[in-house]
């Protein structure tokens, strides 16, 4: 994609969430390079209107369907898709039908629809991952021959319950799960981090983004979240991406690519950094990670079912309608009831998603 000589026109879908607000921080720091032209939110209209006034944005939308109109506006250079959940898939597909770059924070786009998304995103820079882990891997691969990659190491903080046993997790509450040790994120992704489902989703994303077999994607617990991910090469060399635990760094890289701009985050003084703890995830206790990888390896429509059931269970847990351990149990039940099919269309995935949600709700007695 050719560089823009004028400021890039940016549309932010999910502007009132954590990623959306931090994207606006980046835009505020670089007004000569980024021009916000559209904002969309789910429910928080008042905050979105405040954002629109602050950035002089004329075009706003509420809801995933209304957000699609912003994508089709003339002159849009970048669409930041920070919508939460499977509703973001249609926005990603719509963006890839235009000339705009897709800066993707919506995990479910690739988890559910990676088979549809990636064939449309083969031009370098067409799709830029926003999250910390995939942004790190992307940068470690710049200038490298991908055929020489031996393994991807996807790092995880381990969440707030790292080291706990299953019987200890029976009574944890949503408030406990929302107390993430290193990152400040939205409620859904924070719960996913506490169950390790978030890392399972990221493994599926990495499979699609970097065309890497699941057997060569390894999850590594790194408690301080200082190592954002690593790439190991066939000669034994390993590249690690380190830095501050600040999502504005991967957000900015997605917007600045192929350039780098002055950082919005403070520098890390590596002379004063605490020792880095490394470990292996406990997939017997935190079963969501293993279930997600199983869904990814099965392929087809299975990740769609896994994701839908997880969204229903996480929402129920946040509302106090089910327990923490009911989340993996619900996901497993939905997966066992589903016979995977090859992915053929967006409409097919939306139908599978709806049926999986019904199944999960019935399992939880909702």
């Amino acid at each position: 994609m050719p560089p823009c000589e004028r400021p890039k026109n940016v549309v932010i879908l999910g502007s009132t969430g954590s990623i959306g607000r931090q994207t606006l921080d980046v835009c505020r720091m670089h007004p000569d390079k980024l021009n916000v032209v559209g904002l969309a939110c789910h429910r928080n209209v008042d905050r979105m209107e405040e954002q629109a006034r602050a950035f002089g944005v004329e075009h706003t939308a509420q809801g995933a369907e209304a957000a699609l109109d912003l994508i089709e506006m003339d002159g849009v250079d970048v669409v930041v898709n920070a919508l939460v959940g499977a509703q973001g898939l249609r926005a990603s597909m719509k963006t890839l039908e235009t000339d705009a770059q897709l800066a993707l924070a919506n995990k479910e786009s690739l988890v559910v629809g990676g088979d549809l998304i990636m064939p449309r995103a083969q031009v370098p820079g067409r799709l830029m991952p926003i999250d910390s882990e995939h942004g790190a891997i992307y940068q470690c691969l710049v200038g490298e021959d991908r055929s020489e990659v031996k393994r991807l190491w996807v790092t995880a903080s381990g969440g707030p319950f790292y080291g706990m046993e299953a019987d200890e997790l029976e009574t944890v509450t949503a408030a406990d799960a929302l107390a993430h040790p290193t990152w400040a994120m939205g409620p859904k992704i924070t719960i996913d981090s506490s169950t390790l489902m978030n890392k399972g989703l990221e493994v599926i994303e990495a499979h699609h983004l970097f065309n890497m077999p699941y057997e060569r994607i390894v999850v590594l617990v790194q408690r301080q979240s200082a190592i954002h991910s690593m790439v190991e090469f066939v000669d034994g060399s390993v590249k690690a991406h380190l830095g501050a635990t600040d999502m504005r760094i991967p957000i900015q890289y997605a917007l600045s690519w192929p350039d780098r701009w002055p950082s919005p985050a403070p520098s890390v003084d590596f002379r004063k950094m605490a020792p880095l703890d490394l470990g292996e995830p406990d997939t017997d206790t935190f079963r969501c990670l293993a279930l997600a990888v199983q869904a990814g390896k099965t392929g087809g429509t299975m990740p769609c079912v896994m994701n839908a059931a997880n969204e229903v269970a996480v929402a129920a847990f946040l509302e106090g309608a089910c327990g923490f351990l009911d989340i993996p149990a619900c996901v497993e039940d939905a997966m066992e009831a589903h016979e995977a099919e090859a992915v053929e269309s967006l409409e097919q995935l939306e139908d599978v998603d709806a049926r999986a949600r019904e199944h999960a709700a019935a399992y939880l007695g909702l």
Side-chain angles (χ1 to χ4, degrees):
M1 299 174 68
C4 278
E5 295 183 359
R6 55 169 174 76
K8 296 179 182 180
N9 290 330
V10 181
V11 166
I12 304 173
L13 309 182
S15 68
T16 61
S18 175
I19 294 295
R21 297 194 305 272
Q22 291 178 89
T23 300
L24 287 171
D25 283 346
V26 173
C27 294
R28 188 180 292 109
M29 184 175 180
H30 299 287
D32 58 324
K33 299 180 176 69
L34 301 170
N35 177 40
V36 185
V37 297
L39 299 172
C41 74
H42 178 45
R43 284 192 297 260
N44 201 340
V45 176
D46 290 342
R47 173 174 279 183
M48 180 179 67
E49 290 178 348
E50 291 175 5
Q51 294 172 335
R53 288 192 294 271
F55 285 86
V57 178
E58 297 181 4
H59 304 283
T60 61
Q62 181 184 9
E65 286 299 318
L68 299 179
D69 293 334
L70 299 180
I71 297 171
E72 296 181 317
M73 294 191 306
D74 291 338
V76 174
D77 298 303
V78 184
V79 174
V80 176
N81 185 355
L83 295 173
V84 176
Q87 63 179 347
L89 173 56
R90 186 171 287 274
S92 292
M93 292 286 289
K94 177 65 71 174
T95 301
L96 293 174
E97 292 172 2
T98 71
D99 293 329
Q101 178 192 59
L102 174 61
L104 186 59
N106 173 259
K107 294 180 180 300
E108 292 77 10
S109 288
L110 289 174
V111 171
V112 175
D115 291 337
L116 299 177
I117 292 287
M118 291 313 298
R120 295 166 168 80
Q122 294 304 304
V123 176
R126 188 76 173 91
L127 188 165
M128 292 296 295
I130 273 184
D131 71 325
S132 173
E133 293 79 7
H134 302 109
I137 292 170
Y138 191 101
Q139 293 179 64
C140 288
L141 288 172
V142 170
E144 299 288 352
D145 184 340
R146 296 196 180 189
S147 68
E148 297 174 351
V149 174
K150 180 178 181 180
R151 208 159 21 185
L152 304 180
W153 292 86
V154 179
T155 55
S157 72
F161 306 136
Y162 180 71
M164 293 176 65
E165 301 293 337
D167 59 345
E168 299 176 271
L169 297 175
E170 291 179 354
T171 57
V172 300
T173 66
D176 297 328
L178 289 170
H180 196 279
T182 53
W183 292 102
M185 305 175 291
K188 196 271 181 180
I189 189 174
T190 304
I191 300 300
D192 281 348
S193 293
S194 71
T195 64
L196 294 193
M197 174 58 85
N198 185 54
K199 211 50 49 179
L201 301 181
E202 288 176 359
V203 168
I204 298 175
E205 286 184 278
H207 164 75
H208 287 293
L209 279 169
F210 307 112
N211 193 28
M212 188 64 57
Y214 285 100
E215 293 73 19
R216 290 162 59 192
I217 305 173
V218 184
V219 174
L220 173 71
V221 174
Q222 204 289 288
R223 293 292 285 160
Q224 294 78 20
S225 297
I227 302 175
H228 298 145
S229 276
M230 306 186 295
V231 176
E232 180 180 352
F233 297 91
V234 293
D235 66 351
S237 300
V238 179
K239 279 188 177 181
H241 182 282
L242 290 82
T245 53
D246 192 318
M247 279 304 300
R248 292 176 300 175
I249 295 175
I251 290 170
Q252 179 170 291
Y253 184 76
L255 297 175
S256 70
W257 181 91
D259 301 322
R260 292 186 185 273
W261 302 337
S263 174
S267 296
V268 175
D269 188 340
F270 291 96
R271 297 167 298 181
K272 300 177 181 178
M273 178 180 285
L276 301 181
D277 299 319
L278 304 175
E280 188 173 359
D282 178 1
T283 55
D284 291 329
T285 301
F286 298 90
R287 297 194 302 122
C288 282
L289 172 54
L291 288 168
V293 174
Q294 177 187 333
K297 289 181 176 179
T298 302
T301 54
M302 189 62 79
C304 178
V305 169
M306 175 274 298
N307 179 77
N310 180 65
E311 288 191 16
V312 171
V314 168
F317 176 65
L318 284 168
E319 294 170 2
C322 76
F324 185 80
L325 295 179
D326 290 324
I327 298 174
C330 178
V331 172
E332 184 175 40
D333 181 78
M335 289 174 58
E336 288 178 347
H338 180 69
E339 186 173 342
E341 308 166 348
V343 174
E344 297 177 354
S345 68
L346 184 58
E347 291 72 24
Q348 173 206 22
L349 288 174
E350 289 175 338
D351 178 64
V352 170
D353 177 89
R355 287 188 281 116
R357 288 173 189 275
E358 291 178 3
H359 184 98
Y363 175 85
L364 294 171
L366 303 178

